[in-house]
Amino acid sequence: MTGFDFDTAVEGAWRDFRNHLADRLSALPMGERFSVEQARDFPEGTHAVLEFTVTRAHRMRCTAHVLDLHPTVEFKLEQLTTMTDAGWRLLRDNRLIYEVGQRRVDGLAQIAVDALRVIWEVVHPAFLSGSGPTPDRREARVAVGAIPESRDHLLGMVIDTLEGIAGRYIAVDEDGDIPLPTGALPSWLRVLDDEASVEFFGTLVDEVPDTTAAAEFVAGESVRWAGVKLIVHQSTLMAFLSVGMSAYHRENLIAALGRWLGFMKDVAPEIISAVTGVDAPEHSETDKRLPDPLQTLIVLDPDGTTLNAHEVAKICRYDQSEILRYIYTTQEQYLAWVKSAGEADDADDPDEAAACRHEGEVWQMTTNKLQEALRLVVLRDAGGPPQSTPDNQVKESR
């Protein structure tokens, strides 16, 4: 045994197990379950059982159960404290859950390893059994898309993805289109009837003053905006972005949505100005800065984890309209960071991609906090409105 370091060997085994587990989780489809279980070679005592699933919000969840903790109350409470301090949530049905975005499966795998070693005192991965991780890490993983069976099936997958991003119900209008948060320039997303594609579209100019000049502009300049097609129809200038979905991938939709929102926010005003001859409004540095309440949330809660709904609502001055505006802003930030992560992937820069995805996840957590605050403000029937303040009195007197 000379030269053999047992501790180093154990750490290496756990590191390999964590990596294998992260690989297995990254390929876990919605609707399937995957478990890691402590071997029952020794029948006495409790045994660790960790179950992994993908939620409807497309988040990766690890679930444990209080019944699998130490049978002695004193030690069980100590274990519960350790787990909740680490970020586990205790539900009323005695389940313990830990959730992350699907891009953070490495972090969830480490959380699972920590629980197995600290809570259940598993010495080595060899003492784990059941449906443990088996894929070869050297095997390349290919993202497998869902094949749409019909327009309604594709529309359902699109809505599921958008609801996962927005954290709320996504409405479809009477034409079957999905309104998008593009501010003063309305735009929509629709699923086409005759092919497996989605299309973003919006009207940039209702009445073009010079259709000939507009057509020349479109012919000469539209190639500058990859994927976006400009069309002059009679006297109307419209923009379209089509994405094929013969095999549906959530990431493709998110990337296209980010590209469209960026186009409508940054490029469309310039196009409108060029076609109409009216200068686009200049944005001052103050306009570009986040609203003060939203900036306050970021300063006080940089990870989106410490403030509760009451505190967020108070920071937002219990203003329903403003909270809605902040929700749209945080969703735009999330999509922008997802887009940047994709660009970093294309540039073969994994560190930058990981940093961008982390920023996106934090913005999504901020969106969730704002939605909780909005629910509190809108549905506070029992508690009534907050105490009157000078600001409230001014609003009420108008």
Side-chain angles (χ1 to χ4, degrees), residues 278-317:
V278 178
D279 291 339
E282 295 185 3
H283 297 286
S284 67
E285 291 302 315
T286 302
D287 294 332
K288 296 177 183 178
R289 193 179 64 196
L290 292 173
D292 285 345
L294 187 53
Q295 187 68 43
T296 301
L297 285 180
I298 296 169
V299 171
L300 296 181
D301 191 7
D303 293 326
T305 58
T306 57
L307 293 175
N308 61 38
H310 290 273
E311 292 166 333
V312 173
K314 185 174 182 180
I315 291 171
C316 297
R317 304 187 185 96

mmCIF file of all heavy atoms in Angstrom, residues 278-317:
data_model
loop_
_atom_site.group_PDB
_atom_site.id
_atom_site.type_symbol
_atom_site.label_atom_id
_atom_site.label_comp_id
_atom_site.label_asym_id
_atom_site.label_seq_id
_atom_site.Cartn_x
_atom_site.Cartn_y
_atom_site.Cartn_z
ATOM 1 N N VAL A 278 -38.339 60.912 -39.727
ATOM 2 C CA VAL A 278 -38.466 61.476 -38.381
ATOM 3 C C VAL A 278 -37.368 60.894 -37.514
ATOM 4 O O VAL A 278 -37.224 59.663 -37.428
ATOM 5 C CB VAL A 278 -39.845 61.164 -37.784
ATOM 6 C CG1 VAL A 278 -39.942 61.720 -36.359
ATOM 7 C CG2 VAL A 278 -40.946 61.729 -38.657
ATOM 8 N N ASP A 279 -36.580 61.771 -36.897
ATOM 9 C CA ASP A 279 -35.471 61.307 -36.073
ATOM 10 C C ASP A 279 -35.969 60.454 -34.916
ATOM 11 O O ASP A 279 -36.965 60.795 -34.254
ATOM 12 C CB ASP A 279 -34.671 62.490 -35.512
ATOM 13 C CG ASP A 279 -33.907 63.227 -36.607
ATOM 14 O OD1 ASP A 279 -33.672 62.607 -37.662
ATOM 15 O OD2 ASP A 279 -33.578 64.413 -36.404
ATOM 16 N N ALA A 280 -35.273 59.356 -34.678
ATOM 17 C CA ALA A 280 -35.591 58.514 -33.530
ATOM 18 C C ALA A 280 -35.211 59.242 -32.259
ATOM 19 O O ALA A 280 -34.192 59.954 -32.228
ATOM 20 C CB ALA A 280 -34.842 57.189 -33.616
ATOM 21 N N PRO A 281 -36.011 59.137 -31.199
ATOM 22 C CA PRO A 281 -35.674 59.822 -29.952
ATOM 23 C C PRO A 281 -34.362 59.306 -29.384
ATOM 24 O O PRO A 281 -34.093 58.113 -29.402
ATOM 25 C CB PRO A 281 -36.849 59.480 -29.024
ATOM 26 C CG PRO A 281 -37.449 58.246 -29.606
ATOM 27 C CD PRO A 281 -37.230 58.336 -31.083
ATOM 28 N N GLU A 282 -33.530 60.243 -28.915
ATOM 29 C CA GLU A 282 -32.268 59.858 -28.306
ATOM 30 C C GLU A 282 -32.505 59.438 -26.866
ATOM 31 O O GLU A 282 -33.290 60.052 -26.152
ATOM 32 C CB GLU A 282 -31.275 61.027 -28.344
ATOM 33 C CG GLU A 282 -30.865 61.415 -29.753
ATOM 34 C CD GLU A 282 -29.803 62.495 -29.734
ATOM 35 O OE1 GLU A 282 -29.373 62.877 -28.619
ATOM 36 O OE2 GLU A 282 -29.400 62.952 -30.817
ATOM 37 N N HIS A 283 -31.797 58.402 -26.457
ATOM 38 C CA HIS A 283 -31.917 57.903 -25.097
ATOM 39 C C HIS A 283 -30.757 58.425 -24.275
ATOM 40 O O HIS A 283 -29.593 58.198 -24.602
ATOM 41 C CB HIS A 283 -31.910 56.362 -25.085
ATOM 42 C CG HIS A 283 -33.074 55.766 -25.805
ATOM 43 N ND1 HIS A 283 -34.335 55.762 -25.283
ATOM 44 C CD2 HIS A 283 -33.149 55.183 -27.038
ATOM 45 C CE1 HIS A 283 -35.167 55.174 -26.142
ATOM 46 N NE2 HIS A 283 -34.469 54.815 -27.199
ATOM 47 N N SER A 284 -31.091 59.149 -23.229
ATOM 48 C CA SER A 284 -30.054 59.666 -22.342
ATOM 49 C C SER A 284 -29.532 58.543 -21.461
ATOM 50 O O SER A 284 -30.093 57.457 -21.401
ATOM 51 C CB SER A 284 -30.625 60.781 -21.466
ATOM 52 O OG SER A 284 -31.591 60.252 -20.577
ATOM 53 N N GLU A 285 -28.440 58.816 -20.759
ATOM 54 C CA GLU A 285 -27.903 57.823 -19.839
ATOM 55 C C GLU A 285 -28.909 57.503 -18.748
ATOM 56 O O GLU A 285 -28.986 56.378 -18.257
ATOM 57 C CB GLU A 285 -26.595 58.349 -19.220
ATOM 58 C CG GLU A 285 -25.453 58.437 -20.215
ATOM 59 C CD GLU A 285 -25.154 57.095 -20.866
ATOM 60 O OE1 GLU A 285 -25.091 56.078 -20.139
ATOM 61 O OE2 GLU A 285 -24.976 57.060 -22.094
ATOM 62 N N THR A 286 -29.730 58.497 -18.372
ATOM 63 C CA THR A 286 -30.757 58.254 -17.347
ATOM 64 C C THR A 286 -31.790 57.258 -17.855
ATOM 65 O O THR A 286 -32.252 56.389 -17.126
ATOM 66 C CB THR A 286 -31.445 59.576 -16.947
ATOM 67 O OG1 THR A 286 -30.452 60.473 -16.476
ATOM 68 C CG2 THR A 286 -32.489 59.337 -15.876
ATOM 69 N N ASP A 287 -32.151 57.369 -19.169
ATOM 70 C CA ASP A 287 -33.130 56.448 -19.742
ATOM 71 C C ASP A 287 -32.604 55.019 -19.737
ATOM 72 O O ASP A 287 -33.352 54.066 -19.565
ATOM 73 C CB ASP A 287 -33.469 56.860 -21.178
ATOM 74 C CG ASP A 287 -34.192 58.194 -21.233
ATOM 75 O OD1 ASP A 287 -34.874 58.518 -20.255
ATOM 76 O OD2 ASP A 287 -34.037 58.912 -22.234
ATOM 77 N N LYS A 288 -31.283 54.874 -19.966
ATOM 78 C CA LYS A 288 -30.694 53.550 -20.054
ATOM 79 C C LYS A 288 -30.529 52.902 -18.690
ATOM 80 O O LYS A 288 -30.392 51.699 -18.591
ATOM 81 C CB LYS A 288 -29.321 53.646 -20.745
ATOM 82 C CG LYS A 288 -29.392 54.126 -22.184
ATOM 83 C CD LYS A 288 -27.993 54.270 -22.777
ATOM 84 C CE LYS A 288 -28.045 54.819 -24.206
ATOM 85 N NZ LYS A 288 -26.686 55.006 -24.767
ATOM 86 N N ARG A 289 -30.544 53.722 -17.632
ATOM 87 C CA ARG A 289 -30.341 53.182 -16.292
ATOM 88 C C ARG A 289 -31.608 52.480 -15.828
ATOM 89 O O ARG A 289 -32.724 52.866 -16.167
ATOM 90 C CB ARG A 289 -29.997 54.338 -15.351
ATOM 91 C CG ARG A 289 -29.451 53.920 -14.011
ATOM 92 C CD ARG A 289 -29.138 55.150 -13.194
ATOM 93 N NE ARG A 289 -30.356 55.895 -12.903
ATOM 94 C CZ ARG A 289 -30.358 57.154 -12.479
ATOM 95 N NH1 ARG A 289 -29.236 57.810 -12.348
ATOM 96 N NH2 ARG A 289 -31.505 57.762 -12.222
ATOM 97 N N LEU A 290 -31.450 51.455 -15.020
ATOM 98 C CA LEU A 290 -32.611 50.754 -14.478
ATOM 99 C C LEU A 290 -33.386 51.681 -13.544
ATOM 100 O O LEU A 290 -32.791 52.543 -12.888
ATOM 101 C CB LEU A 290 -32.145 49.515 -13.708
ATOM 102 C CG LEU A 290 -31.528 48.394 -14.537
ATOM 103 C CD1 LEU A 290 -30.964 47.323 -13.613
ATOM 104 C CD2 LEU A 290 -32.539 47.790 -15.485
ATOM 105 N N PRO A 291 -34.724 51.504 -13.473
ATOM 106 C CA PRO A 291 -35.513 52.312 -12.522
ATOM 107 C C PRO A 291 -34.977 52.145 -11.097
ATOM 108 O O PRO A 291 -34.485 51.071 -10.730
ATOM 109 C CB PRO A 291 -36.926 51.723 -12.664
ATOM 110 C CG PRO A 291 -36.943 51.064 -14.004
ATOM 111 C CD PRO A 291 -35.552 50.569 -14.244
ATOM 112 N N ASP A 292 -35.086 53.199 -10.308
ATOM 113 C CA ASP A 292 -34.502 53.177 -8.962
ATOM 114 C C ASP A 292 -34.988 52.009 -8.107
ATOM 115 O O ASP A 292 -34.175 51.352 -7.434
ATOM 116 C CB ASP A 292 -34.778 54.511 -8.255
ATOM 117 C CG ASP A 292 -33.893 55.628 -8.794
ATOM 118 O OD1 ASP A 292 -32.911 55.313 -9.489
ATOM 119 O OD2 ASP A 292 -34.186 56.801 -8.525
ATOM 120 N N PRO A 293 -36.301 51.700 -8.066
ATOM 121 C CA PRO A 293 -36.730 50.561 -7.240
ATOM 122 C C PRO A 293 -36.103 49.237 -7.694
ATOM 123 O O PRO A 293 -35.710 48.412 -6.862
ATOM 124 C CB PRO A 293 -38.251 50.548 -7.407
ATOM 125 C CG PRO A 293 -38.597 51.956 -7.729
ATOM 126 C CD PRO A 293 -37.470 52.448 -8.590
ATOM 127 N N LEU A 294 -36.005 49.043 -9.012
ATOM 128 C CA LEU A 294 -35.397 47.810 -9.512
ATOM 129 C C LEU A 294 -33.906 47.782 -9.199
ATOM 130 O O LEU A 294 -33.357 46.745 -8.816
ATOM 131 C CB LEU A 294 -35.633 47.692 -11.019
ATOM 132 C CG LEU A 294 -35.203 46.385 -11.683
ATOM 133 C CD1 LEU A 294 -35.812 45.183 -10.972
ATOM 134 C CD2 LEU A 294 -35.600 46.384 -13.157
ATOM 135 N N GLN A 295 -33.249 48.938 -9.324
ATOM 136 C CA GLN A 295 -31.839 49.012 -8.969
ATOM 137 C C GLN A 295 -31.650 48.727 -7.481
ATOM 138 O O GLN A 295 -30.696 48.056 -7.066
ATOM 139 C CB GLN A 295 -31.295 50.401 -9.303
ATOM 140 C CG GLN A 295 -29.794 50.549 -9.127
ATOM 141 C CD GLN A 295 -29.016 49.733 -10.139
ATOM 142 O OE1 GLN A 295 -29.354 49.705 -11.316
ATOM 143 N NE2 GLN A 295 -27.985 49.051 -9.699
ATOM 144 N N THR A 296 -32.596 49.194 -6.660
ATOM 145 C CA THR A 296 -32.536 48.936 -5.218
ATOM 146 C C THR A 296 -32.647 47.447 -4.931
ATOM 147 O O THR A 296 -31.933 46.908 -4.079
ATOM 148 C CB THR A 296 -33.665 49.700 -4.501
ATOM 149 O OG1 THR A 296 -33.527 51.100 -4.766
ATOM 150 C CG2 THR A 296 -33.611 49.467 -3.002
ATOM 151 N N LEU A 297 -33.551 46.768 -5.635
ATOM 152 C CA LEU A 297 -33.687 45.313 -5.456
ATOM 153 C C LEU A 297 -32.374 44.596 -5.748
ATOM 154 O O LEU A 297 -31.972 43.685 -5.018
ATOM 155 C CB LEU A 297 -34.769 44.767 -6.400
ATOM 156 C CG LEU A 297 -36.224 45.024 -6.038
ATOM 157 C CD1 LEU A 297 -37.127 44.410 -7.100
ATOM 158 C CD2 LEU A 297 -36.552 44.466 -4.676
ATOM 159 N N ILE A 298 -31.699 45.025 -6.806
ATOM 160 C CA ILE A 298 -30.451 44.367 -7.195
ATOM 161 C C ILE A 298 -29.365 44.606 -6.158
ATOM 162 O O ILE A 298 -28.580 43.714 -5.834
ATOM 163 C CB ILE A 298 -30.015 44.864 -8.582
ATOM 164 C CG1 ILE A 298 -31.046 44.448 -9.623
ATOM 165 C CG2 ILE A 298 -28.637 44.330 -8.954
ATOM 166 C CD1 ILE A 298 -30.867 45.104 -10.957
ATOM 167 N N VAL A 299 -29.336 45.831 -5.614
ATOM 168 C CA VAL A 299 -28.317 46.152 -4.616
ATOM 169 C C VAL A 299 -28.565 45.377 -3.320
ATOM 170 O O VAL A 299 -27.640 44.820 -2.715
ATOM 171 C CB VAL A 299 -28.296 47.664 -4.349
ATOM 172 C CG1 VAL A 299 -27.397 47.987 -3.150
ATOM 173 C CG2 VAL A 299 -27.792 48.415 -5.575
ATOM 174 N N LEU A 300 -29.839 45.328 -2.891
ATOM 175 C CA LEU A 300 -30.161 44.676 -1.612
ATOM 176 C C LEU A 300 -30.229 43.157 -1.721
ATOM 177 O O LEU A 300 -30.034 42.451 -0.727
ATOM 178 C CB LEU A 300 -31.500 45.211 -1.090
ATOM 179 C CG LEU A 300 -31.547 46.698 -0.725
ATOM 180 C CD1 LEU A 300 -32.923 47.062 -0.197
ATOM 181 C CD2 LEU A 300 -30.482 47.050 0.303
ATOM 182 N N ASP A 301 -30.521 42.668 -2.904
ATOM 183 C CA ASP A 301 -30.701 41.225 -3.078
ATOM 184 C C ASP A 301 -30.033 40.786 -4.377
ATOM 185 O O ASP A 301 -30.694 40.409 -5.341
ATOM 186 C CB ASP A 301 -32.199 40.911 -3.107
ATOM 187 C CG ASP A 301 -32.495 39.418 -3.021
ATOM 188 O OD1 ASP A 301 -31.544 38.648 -2.812
ATOM 189 O OD2 ASP A 301 -33.661 39.033 -3.172
ATOM 190 N N PRO A 302 -28.700 40.811 -4.444
ATOM 191 C CA PRO A 302 -28.000 40.558 -5.701
ATOM 192 C C PRO A 302 -28.219 39.168 -6.270
ATOM 193 O O PRO A 302 -28.094 38.959 -7.466
ATOM 194 C CB PRO A 302 -26.525 40.791 -5.339
ATOM 195 C CG PRO A 302 -26.459 40.623 -3.859
ATOM 196 C CD PRO A 302 -27.776 41.098 -3.334
ATOM 197 N N ASP A 303 -28.545 38.182 -5.411
ATOM 198 C CA ASP A 303 -28.756 36.814 -5.878
ATOM 199 C C ASP A 303 -30.229 36.448 -6.004
ATOM 200 O O ASP A 303 -30.567 35.314 -6.333
ATOM 201 C CB ASP A 303 -28.070 35.813 -4.941
ATOM 202 C CG ASP A 303 -26.560 35.944 -4.994
ATOM 203 O OD1 ASP A 303 -26.043 36.254 -6.072
ATOM 204 O OD2 ASP A 303 -25.906 35.763 -3.959
ATOM 205 N N GLY A 304 -31.129 37.398 -5.703
ATOM 206 C CA GLY A 304 -32.556 37.111 -5.803
ATOM 207 C C GLY A 304 -33.052 36.100 -4.796
ATOM 208 O O GLY A 304 -33.999 35.354 -5.075
ATOM 209 N N THR A 305 -32.429 36.057 -3.598
ATOM 210 C CA THR A 305 -32.775 34.999 -2.639
ATOM 211 C C THR A 305 -33.125 35.506 -1.244
ATOM 212 O O THR A 305 -33.659 34.740 -0.451
ATOM 213 C CB THR A 305 -31.594 34.015 -2.497
ATOM 214 O OG1 THR A 305 -30.431 34.737 -2.076
ATOM 215 C CG2 THR A 305 -31.297 33.313 -3.815
ATOM 216 N N THR A 306 -32.851 36.763 -0.920
ATOM 217 C CA THR A 306 -32.951 37.186 0.485
ATOM 218 C C THR A 306 -34.201 37.989 0.810
ATOM 219 O O THR A 306 -34.672 37.945 1.945
ATOM 220 C CB THR A 306 -31.713 38.016 0.887
ATOM 221 O OG1 THR A 306 -31.598 39.149 0.013
ATOM 222 C CG2 THR A 306 -30.453 37.169 0.772
ATOM 223 N N LEU A 307 -34.751 38.740 -0.128
ATOM 224 C CA LEU A 307 -35.930 39.563 0.154
ATOM 225 C C LEU A 307 -37.211 38.754 -0.030
ATOM 226 O O LEU A 307 -37.308 37.929 -0.943
ATOM 227 C CB LEU A 307 -35.961 40.778 -0.771
ATOM 228 C CG LEU A 307 -34.848 41.823 -0.582
ATOM 229 C CD1 LEU A 307 -34.946 42.883 -1.656
ATOM 230 C CD2 LEU A 307 -34.918 42.453 0.798
ATOM 231 N N ASN A 308 -38.205 38.998 0.840
ATOM 232 C CA ASN A 308 -39.488 38.325 0.677
ATOM 233 C C ASN A 308 -40.450 39.211 -0.111
ATOM 234 O O ASN A 308 -40.136 40.358 -0.462
ATOM 235 C CB ASN A 308 -40.076 37.934 2.037
ATOM 236 C CG ASN A 308 -40.337 39.130 2.937
ATOM 237 O OD1 ASN A 308 -40.767 40.196 2.478
ATOM 238 N ND2 ASN A 308 -40.085 38.969 4.228
ATOM 239 N N ALA A 309 -41.648 38.687 -0.390
ATOM 240 C CA ALA A 309 -42.604 39.397 -1.237
ATOM 241 C C ALA A 309 -43.028 40.726 -0.630
ATOM 242 O O ALA A 309 -43.188 41.724 -1.343
ATOM 243 C CB ALA A 309 -43.831 38.514 -1.481
ATOM 244 N N HIS A 310 -43.225 40.771 0.691
ATOM 245 C CA HIS A 310 -43.617 42.020 1.342
ATOM 246 C C HIS A 310 -42.550 43.084 1.170
ATOM 247 O O HIS A 310 -42.851 44.255 0.882
ATOM 248 C CB HIS A 310 -43.876 41.766 2.830
ATOM 249 C CG HIS A 310 -45.108 40.956 3.100
ATOM 250 N ND1 HIS A 310 -46.351 41.525 3.234
ATOM 251 C CD2 HIS A 310 -45.286 39.614 3.226
ATOM 252 C CE1 HIS A 310 -47.246 40.574 3.452
ATOM 253 N NE2 HIS A 310 -46.630 39.402 3.458
ATOM 254 N N GLU A 311 -41.282 42.687 1.324
ATOM 255 C CA GLU A 311 -40.190 43.654 1.207
ATOM 256 C C GLU A 311 -40.049 44.161 -0.225
ATOM 257 O O GLU A 311 -39.820 45.352 -0.461
ATOM 258 C CB GLU A 311 -38.888 43.006 1.688
ATOM 259 C CG GLU A 311 -38.880 42.714 3.185
ATOM 260 C CD GLU A 311 -37.760 41.776 3.606
ATOM 261 O OE1 GLU A 311 -37.313 40.952 2.775
ATOM 262 O OE2 GLU A 311 -37.330 41.868 4.771
ATOM 263 N N VAL A 312 -40.213 43.251 -1.193
ATOM 264 C CA VAL A 312 -40.126 43.655 -2.591
ATOM 265 C C VAL A 312 -41.271 44.601 -2.940
ATOM 266 O O VAL A 312 -41.072 45.626 -3.609
ATOM 267 C CB VAL A 312 -40.138 42.416 -3.510
ATOM 268 C CG1 VAL A 312 -40.224 42.846 -4.977
ATOM 269 C CG2 VAL A 312 -38.891 41.577 -3.288
ATOM 270 N N ALA A 313 -42.484 44.283 -2.477
ATOM 271 C CA ALA A 313 -43.633 45.152 -2.743
ATOM 272 C C ALA A 313 -43.421 46.537 -2.143
ATOM 273 O O ALA A 313 -43.762 47.561 -2.759
ATOM 274 C CB ALA A 313 -44.903 44.517 -2.179
ATOM 275 N N LYS A 314 -42.853 46.595 -0.953
ATOM 276 C CA LYS A 314 -42.607 47.887 -0.313
ATOM 277 C C LYS A 314 -41.586 48.695 -1.093
ATOM 278 O O LYS A 314 -41.751 49.912 -1.287
ATOM 279 C CB LYS A 314 -42.122 47.668 1.120
ATOM 280 C CG LYS A 314 -41.941 48.964 1.911
ATOM 281 C CD LYS A 314 -41.595 48.671 3.353
ATOM 282 C CE LYS A 314 -41.468 49.975 4.147
ATOM 283 N NZ LYS A 314 -41.130 49.716 5.577
ATOM 284 N N ILE A 315 -40.512 48.047 -1.542
ATOM 285 C CA ILE A 315 -39.498 48.741 -2.336
ATOM 286 C C ILE A 315 -40.112 49.295 -3.617
ATOM 287 O O ILE A 315 -39.747 50.387 -4.081
ATOM 288 C CB ILE A 315 -38.332 47.783 -2.655
ATOM 289 C CG1 ILE A 315 -37.543 47.469 -1.376
ATOM 290 C CG2 ILE A 315 -37.399 48.366 -3.716
ATOM 291 C CD1 ILE A 315 -36.518 46.376 -1.537
ATOM 292 N N CYS A 316 -41.081 48.577 -4.182
ATOM 293 C CA CYS A 316 -41.753 49.008 -5.411
ATOM 294 C C CYS A 316 -42.937 49.918 -5.125
ATOM 295 O O CYS A 316 -43.747 50.188 -6.032
ATOM 296 C CB CYS A 316 -42.213 47.791 -6.218
ATOM 297 S SG CYS A 316 -40.852 46.747 -6.790
ATOM 298 N N ARG A 317 -43.077 50.349 -3.874
ATOM 299 C CA ARG A 317 -44.118 51.307 -3.448
ATOM 300 C C ARG A 317 -45.536 50.783 -3.690
ATOM 301 O O ARG A 317 -46.461 51.553 -3.942
ATOM 302 C CB ARG A 317 -43.926 52.647 -4.163
ATOM 303 C CG ARG A 317 -42.540 53.256 -3.975
ATOM 304 C CD ARG A 317 -42.468 54.655 -4.573
ATOM 305 N NE ARG A 317 -41.106 55.182 -4.481
ATOM 306 C CZ ARG A 317 -40.200 55.120 -5.449
ATOM 307 N NH1 ARG A 317 -40.536 54.535 -6.607
ATOM 308 N NH2 ARG A 317 -38.997 55.625 -5.300
#
